[in-house]
Amino acid sequence: MTDPAGGATAALIVVDLRSNLARRVLQGHYSVVPVPDSPIMADGKPVQARRADGAAVMPQTGVVPVACDRKGEWVYFGPANGRTVYRIRAEHLRDTGLTPIELASRVDGYGEKPACVSMTIDNKGNLYFGDLAQNAISVLDAKEQKLRVYFSDPLISWPGGLCFGPDDKLYFFASQLHRSPFLNRGKNEVQPPIQLLRLKAIAGGQVGR
């Protein structure tokens, strides 16, 4: 699981389902913390949160999107505020014998990603992202390792919850979160209804992922 926490204290959470014990790993590592001066854009403008005192601030969100491949070998992740997707072998996350430094050395920079809060992976290794800035689903091609917009539409407003259904289509919701008062200078400009959308993917994926 991912924990964006306070940005600088972001981390991955590893849960052992046999013992019900959870470990916090990679806390503060560059692969999970937000990238400075990398604002989240939506509707053509930087997203601004409103603090309790009324001041507007740029959200600095750590790791949120995460995905695991079909074989359960690689875990992909990255900060919401950031343009790089990282990966680490699942076996390294499970290895309680690794020191924090040793575990950090196992993280690889995998490719480019957009600012996003959700991603998933199909059975051929293509990564899909809810592209906040471009009202789109973008994809990082497994063969060419290039990021591109896969499908864009004004309806895809702050996409999240990406997962595959039993029909091998990609499902996601358009939450319009950036139009809610907390991220919109105190104004509620959400336009009902909140849409649940689906899209034909390049390849099928595991249901629920």
Side-chain angles (χ1 to χ4, degrees), residues 35-52:
V35 177
D37 302 319
S38 180
I40 293 177
M41 304 289 292
D43 290 344
K45 58 188 178 183
V47 174
Q48 292 185 335
R50 184 170 291 275
R51 298 190 320 203

Side-chain angles (χ1 to χ4, degrees), residues 144-160:
E144 298 183 0
Q145 293 283 288
K146 290 184 178 180
L147 179 69
R148 61 182 174 88
V149 171
Y150 182 63
F151 186 82
S152 179
D153 190 279
L155 282 176
I156 306 177
S157 182
W158 201 279

